[in-house]
Amino acid sequence: MFRLETAENPQTLRRIAIEPLTRVEGHGKVTLLLDDADHVHQVRLHIVEFRGFEIFIEGRPFWEVPISVQRLCGICPVSHLLAATKAMDLIAGYDRLTPTAEKIRRLMHYGQMMQSHALHFFHLSSPDLLLGFDSEPTRRNIVGVAREFPEIAKQGVFLRKYGQEVIRHTAGKRIHGTGAVPGGVNKGISRAERDEMRRDIDRMIEWALSAVHLVAELHRAKPEFYDHFGEFSSAMMSLVDADGAMDFYHGGLRALDADGGTIFDGVDYSGYQQVLEEEVKPWSYMKFPHIRSLGPENGWYKVGPLARVQTCDRIPTPLAEMERRKLVARGEGKPVMGTLYYHWARLIELLHATEVIRDLLDDPDLLGSDLMADKGERRSEAVGVIEAPRGTLFHHYRVDENDQVTFCNLIVSTTNNNQAMNEAIRSVALSHLDGKTITEGLLNHIEVAIRAYDPCLSCATHALGKMPLEVDLIDAEGTLVQRARRNMGPER
Amino acid sequence: MSDDATFMLDGRPIRFEAGQSILQAALAAGAFIPNLCHHPEFKPHGSCKLCTVKVNGRASSACTTRARAGQEVASDTPELNRHRRTLLQMLFVEGNHFCPGCEKSGQCRLQALAYDLEMLNPHYEHFYPPRPIDASHPDVLIDFNRCILCALCVRASRDVDGKTVFALAGRGTAQHLVVDCPSGKLGDTDFAATDKAAEVCPVGAILPKRVGFAVPIGERPFDIEPISVQAAHAAHAEPRG
């Protein structure tokens, strides 16, 4: 049983619900159970919606699937497009892409990483970090940041825009384009498009480096808070390339324990079910994946930027690697575990993405015209895995002899982080809410911890300070004592 | 103003040849009248009603009404376009049309007309009918979710291919496309990917297998210019002979 997951006598406790939260697919809530002295006994992040893509993709023709499943998300559709297409490459019989096709896909993916990370840091999280967790809520948003720190806000907007333009050049549209198709890509890059992207990339690298320094400075100035907020020990997992270096597009699975020791390494992701298992809990629609050999109690892990910068041996671009070493050094030989390190790691990845984009734009293969690979033997089952902005993303399909999908299993990045997010808010609840009268600012501490994981649709309600919240204070007899509502619309 | 071989369409004189319908003459002159079940190679069907115009004040299908000298034809009017949008909305809610994941997007006449006639929402409650996919044929897929019952495949299979693979069965809202063989599966017929019936579907109901998004979204015919503009360009590219 996990700390603070289930209280012994819940009927005697007050229940406070933060509902809905914003998350990957939109709807989540946090419940807290407190005693009469305001001590916290139970904290849960519930995922209350059911998405259903795995079911309604059944029966569809396989070539349609990458385009359909990217609609899972409006923030990182490229990740779903590429993970599904990697699986469908194999289903359709394409083993190895042409150099041009793989580099165009990589360019698309690193553009996606750049825009998503910029969106998350500047638009969603910088209001908390730059203006204060409990600053005036009506100003705690990107407009408030633009007022107080106009140059930072401008750089954030343009970094994201640049990533979106890379996606447009490679996928045809900024959101929900096509680009990747089983066997390669449907669109080449012209010299004019390449030159247009090349023109501004050096400035993007410079701005990304400034952003890394901005967050690093927060940790240096107030380490007792920034290093330890929402801190807990956990394993970590990501893809790394054959040499152990960071690679967002392809590689083998590597998992490290909380001390940095290897749990598994170089695992072919097509056999992910041999190393990972998914558990279901009755109070959430989101599954709880864990490392099979360690079991559900000890095998949970985290994914995403903070995992990736620590599971890899190195980042294969110089500026990002230099910054990664500074972050890793703060652990003094052990992995760092504070939740707010996610932002620092995310910006190092943003910097890495800009460096990779520059290198790809300078690669003559990018302008090639050989976009489709030679077709080999058709398969009936395949797995596609990619490092999405929020972490490792699994797409697993089976297709029958008529070309129709018969099975689909998706483990989206946020699902991998399910237990980790629960641990993060439990840590925050104990250190910041326990024994205190609840205020909006304290509630925002819970949201800050969830937000650090960059759950997908958080932008939908949070970006402009419109994240809806409802908190009910219910006494031991179940009577509603007080209800606080924010951005919930008229009460029904 | 008019002579022996001219009628007026929305105030514009349209010349016609003997035997032409109003729709044929208008399209040949580069004047677009919205249409779905019409195909220049087949006899008119008159079922979609999108080409309904007012001929001397009376509503008629432009595809089944013969052009005559001196007719006053109204087509591009707020009233008729409102009715056309309603017809399109009913077609959208009667089937399961999910353009974002459809290979035909950007090449689909139903989608193109909805854009051209500025259909902004489905208005009616969706039926969400449970319709199957027939993937039994090795080269061609039928997605019944997208069928709009235009009967072009029925006509092409019967009149050009000489196979009568398809038919419309049932009546009213129960009407549906059927495959003419005991199992009802396309794979059990003599249908071939080279048949005329495999290429006439105006929507994404009959599609070649394993061809998905080879042409990027944004570079497809109706992405580049609206269906009404394309019709005008096509007429100018092919002078009446």
Side-chain angles (χ1 to χ4, degrees):
Chain A
M1 187 57 64
F2 293 105
R3 176 189 64 163
L4 294 187
E5 181 177 310
T6 304
E8 278 189 22
N9 299 300
Q11 67 279 7
T12 63
L13 301 169
R14 282 184 298 139
R15 178 176 177 272
I16 292 179
I18 306 174
E19 182 185 15
L21 288 171
T22 48
R23 202 199 57 82
V24 184
E25 293 100 9
H27 301 293
K29 67 177 177 183
V30 170
T31 57
L32 303 99
L33 297 186
L34 301 97
D35 63 20
D36 291 341
D38 292 322
H39 291 300
V40 179
H41 289 260
Q42 178 178 304
V43 184
R44 289 173 173 178
L45 167 61
H46 308 252
I47 308 304
V48 296
E49 76 168 326
F50 181 64
R51 202 77 167 114
F53 262 77
E54 286 100 329
I55 300 303
F56 63 70
I57 226 62
E58 280 182 13
R60 300 306 306 175
F62 75 78
W63 54 90
E64 192 185 278
V65 167
I67 301 302
S68 295
V69 295
Q70 68 170 333
R71 298 277 168 170
L72 267 161
C73 185
I75 299 175
C76 63
V78 168
S79 309
H80 290 287
L81 173 70
L82 289 176
T85 309
K86 283 178 77 175
M88 295 312 173
D89 286 339
L90 300 173
I91 295 279
Y94 298 99
D95 285 324
R96 183 175 289 277
L97 300 183
T98 67
T100 297
E102 182 175 330
K103 285 171 185 174
I104 289 175
R105 282 195 193 177
R106 281 180 176 272
L107 181 62
M108 186 193 307
H109 188 43
Y110 281 77
Q112 158 75 13
M113 198 64 86
M114 190 180 162
Q115 75 83 14
S116 178
H117 280 0
L119 171 77
H120 181 261
F121 178 72
F122 292 99
H123 297 69
L124 305 186
S125 288
S126 77
D128 297 322
L129 297 169
L130 300 179
L131 304 176
F133 291 10
D134 46 10
S135 59
E136 166 57 38
T138 59
R139 292 184 191 156
R140 197 196 305 141
N141 52 49
I142 186 65
V143 177
V145 172
R147 189 179 293 122
E148 299 283 328
F149 305 96
E151 183 59 24
I152 291 173
K154 185 191 86 176
Q155 290 178 8
V157 168
F158 279 99
L159 277 162
R160 174 161 190 264
K161 182 186 176 189
Y162 185 92
Q164 293 285 70
E165 287 298 301
V166 170
I167 295 170
R168 182 173 68 84
H169 285 304
T170 50
K173 286 168 67 183
R174 291 177 189 86
I175 303 171
H176 298 139
T178 51
V181 293
V185 293
N186 65 11
K187 179 183 175 304
I189 301 288
S190 70
R191 192 170 294 276
E193 287 175 313
R194 194 274 312 269
D195 292 348
E196 186 185 326
M197 288 184 272
R198 188 69 185 79
R199 192 184 61 220
D200 293 328
I201 188 63
D202 291 331
R203 183 184 298 161
M204 297 300 137
I205 293 172
E206 184 188 316
W207 285 352
L209 184 60
S210 300
V212 177
H213 292 162
L214 179 72
V215 169
E217 187 51 38
L218 292 175
H219 282 261
R220 279 188 206 103
K222 204 175 172 187
E224 68 284 358
F225 181 81
Y226 283 94
D227 290 6
H228 302 294
F229 181 86
E231 188 173 38
F232 59 92
S233 290
S234 79
M236 303 168 289
M237 186 185 74
S238 77
L239 294 178
V240 292
D241 77 6
D243 297 326
M246 176 179 275
D247 192 331
F248 298 147
Y249 181 75
H250 195 65
L253 290 169
R254 173 183 283 181
L256 304 182
D257 63 27
D259 294 322
T262 302
I263 301 171
F264 55 73
D265 192 12
V267 172
D268 176 353
Y269 60 62
S270 64
Y272 75 99
Q273 287 175 320
Q274 288 163 16
V275 293
L276 299 178
E277 193 170 8
E278 294 174 89
E279 188 192 15
V280 175
K281 299 197 181 192
W283 47 270
S284 177
Y285 278 127
M286 188 152 69
K287 292 178 188 172
F288 286 77
H290 56 266
I291 293 166
R292 190 179 282 274
S293 64
L294 300 178
E297 291 289 318
N298 302 312
W300 58 278
Y301 53 90
K302 59 180 174 245
V303 298
L306 186 55
R308 286 190 291 245
V309 299
Q310 299 189 97
T311 50
C312 71
D313 299 330
R314 65 190 172 84
I315 296 180
T317 53
L319 292 176
E321 171 60 9
M322 192 169 67
E323 296 301 324
R324 187 190 75 87
R325 289 182 183 187
K326 292 179 194 168
L327 181 148
V328 169
R330 292 184 79 83
E332 297 175 344
K334 288 182 69 175
V336 296
M337 293 290 166
T339 291
L340 294 179
Y341 275 114
Y342 259 98
H343 296 297
W344 190 348
R346 188 170 291 117
L347 291 171
I348 291 172
E349 290 192 342
L350 170 70
L351 174 62
H352 174 52
T354 59
E355 291 183 282
V356 170
I357 289 169
R358 177 200 55 206
D359 294 346
L360 285 168
L361 292 174
D362 288 342
D363 189 327
D365 281 348
L366 193 73
L367 301 183
S369 57
D370 193 7
L371 304 181
M372 291 295 290
D374 294 330
K375 206 168 187 173
E377 194 179 337
R378 172 99 148 62
R379 291 178 180 80
S380 59
E381 182 169 3
V383 178
V385 178
I386 203 157
E387 282 297 330
R390 289 148 192 83
T392 320
L393 171 65
F394 296 78
H395 278 227
H396 180 188
Y397 301 98
R398 289 189 202 115
V399 176
D400 68 12
E401 66 280 5
N402 286 335
D403 302 319
Q404 290 174 281
V405 173
T406 57
F407 166 85
C408 169
N409 186 40
L410 310 175
I411 308 178
V412 300
S413 315
T414 304
T415 310
N416 288 302
N417 275 334
N418 197 355
Q419 185 62 35
M421 288 191 293
N422 273 286
E423 289 297 321
I425 59 173
R426 284 165 196 160
S427 170
V428 170
L430 277 182
S431 56
H432 294 275
L433 275 71
D434 195 58
K436 294 179 185 167
T437 305
I438 291 171
T439 63
E440 193 280 339
L442 286 178
L443 278 180
N444 191 46
H445 282 59
I446 296 271
E447 292 183 45
V448 164
I450 296 170
R451 222 169 267 143
Y453 288 83
D454 187 12
C456 287
L457 295 180
S458 53
C459 65
T461 51
H462 168 61
L464 297 173
K466 293 192 180 300
M467 189 170 185
L469 275 179
E470 182 178 76
V471 179
D472 284 351
L473 196 59
I474 298 168
D475 66 19
E477 279 73 45
T479 309
L480 181 68
V481 176
Q482 188 186 348
R483 168 170 286 178
R485 293 164 65 86
R486 192 176 82 187
N487 299 320
M488 294 285 290
E491 188 165 356
R492 282 176 290 180
Chain B
M1 182 72 188
S2 63
D3 59 27
D4 285 350
T6 303
F7 65 88
M8 299 297 287
L9 174 63
D10 295 328
R12 173 185 164 187
I14 303 289
R15 290 188 60 78
F16 65 92
E17 293 171 5
Q20 277 188 316
S21 66
I22 290 173
L23 182 62
Q24 285 172 324
L27 292 176
F32 184 66
I33 296 174
N35 63 88
L36 257 181
C37 68
H38 166 78
H39 190 289
E41 296 176 40
F42 299 106
K43 288 180 183 172
H45 197 245
S47 58
C48 76
K49 300 299 176 194
L50 273 176
C51 72
T52 299
V53 290
K54 285 205 169 171
V55 183
N56 298 330
R58 288 187 57 179
S60 307
S61 298
C63 69
T64 56
T65 304
R66 189 158 289 181
R68 296 189 190 284
Q71 285 167 324
E72 288 286 340
V73 180
S75 174
D76 188 13
T77 68
E79 180 199 9
L80 286 169
N81 286 336
R82 191 170 64 248
H83 290 319
R84 287 173 181 139
R85 277 193 293 276
T86 300
L87 288 169
L88 289 169
Q89 286 165 328
M90 290 195 290
L91 285 171
F92 269 95
V93 302
E94 283 171 13
N96 297 308
H97 299 277
F98 304 118
C99 301
C102 180
E103 159 61 17
K104 196 81 173 189
S105 181
Q107 306 172 79
C108 169
R109 293 181 67 85
L110 178 68
Q111 182 196 47
L113 283 169
Y115 277 125
D116 205 49
L117 288 162
E118 300 179 340
M119 188 191 112
L120 299 178
N121 59 50
H123 182 74
Y124 302 104
E125 197 170 333
H126 280 277
F127 287 21
Y128 294 124
R131 292 191 191 165
I133 289 179
D134 182 349
S136 59
H137 194 278
D139 303 316
V140 177
L141 176 109
I142 307 180
D143 188 340
F144 291 96
N145 290 291
R146 301 167 182 160
C147 180
I148 57 168
L149 305 173
C150 68
L152 272 170
C153 58
V154 177
R155 288 178 274 166
S157 184
R158 181 190 63 212
D159 301 344
V160 179
D161 305 326
K163 294 183 177 177
T164 62
V165 170
F166 301 104
L168 295 182
R171 300 183 71 80
T173 56
Q175 192 173 50
H176 59 287
L177 183 69
V178 291
V179 174
D180 182 20
C181 75
S183 69
K185 293 289 185 187
L186 192 65
D188 293 332
T189 69
D190 57 352
F191 185 82
T194 50
D195 286 358
K196 187 72 181 173
E199 64 173 69
V200 292
C201 182
V203 293
I206 301 178
L207 287 171
K209 275 188 161 184
R210 295 174 293 281
V211 178
F213 304 94
V215 179
I217 299 290
E219 295 180 18
R220 295 164 173 228
F222 299 133
D223 295 336
I224 294 165
E225 55 185 11
I227 190 169
S228 55
V229 177
Q230 274 195 22
H233 288 170
H236 293 136
E238 296 170 26
R240 296 171 70 194

